[in-house]
Amino acid sequence: MAESMYVFGDEDRRKFARLVAATWEDGGLRGRYDGDPRTLLSQYGIAYPEGVPTPPLPARPEGEFDIAELESAAGSVAYTTDGTASSIGTALCNSFCFGDPQ
């Protein structure tokens, strides 16, 4: 049987990005998420549907990160240096979320 899937809206992606950043700074918070993710999602203002698997937390990247970059990587639109709009998935997330592919 296929599992159900839930897709965050823009605001929930930003909230989840804040939660992820907080867990990267506080290992105890990550442990709380691992033990009871729905409660922590709720505390961050995310109403996650019952019966749908909760999203895993990504591992913390090496080096410094900025919450604004993380929120952008969570689904906002980025503007490239030439002023054109690009999805974060192609503009930042390839290197920021998954490590530099080079």
Side-chain angles (χ1 to χ4, degrees):
M1 175 184 278
E3 292 185 7
S4 297
M5 185 173 75
Y6 177 73
V7 177
F8 285 132
D10 288 343
E11 186 60 29
D12 281 347
R13 279 195 299 270
R14 285 187 283 278
K15 292 175 184 176
F16 188 69
R18 287 183 204 112
L19 170 60
V20 169
T23 64
W24 287 349
E25 294 295 317
D26 179 352
L29 191 61
R30 183 176 188 104
R32 286 182 46 215
Y33 185 87
D34 291 341
D36 188 7
R38 290 183 191 285
T39 296
L40 209 49
L41 287 166
S42 177
Q43 289 172 353
Y44 275 76
I46 302 168
Y48 206 79
E50 291 295 325
V52 178
T54 55
L57 294 173
R60 183 174 193 205
E62 295 291 322
E64 301 284 323
F65 70 92
D66 181 320
I67 186 64
E69 289 176 353
L70 184 61
E71 287 178 354
S72 292
S76 299
V77 171
Y79 291 89
T80 61
T81 56
D82 67 359
T84 59
S86 174
S87 81
I88 285 300
T90 58
L92 286 177
C93 205
N94 286 336
S95 63
F96 183 74
C97 295
F98 307 111
D100 192 352
Q102 285 127 356

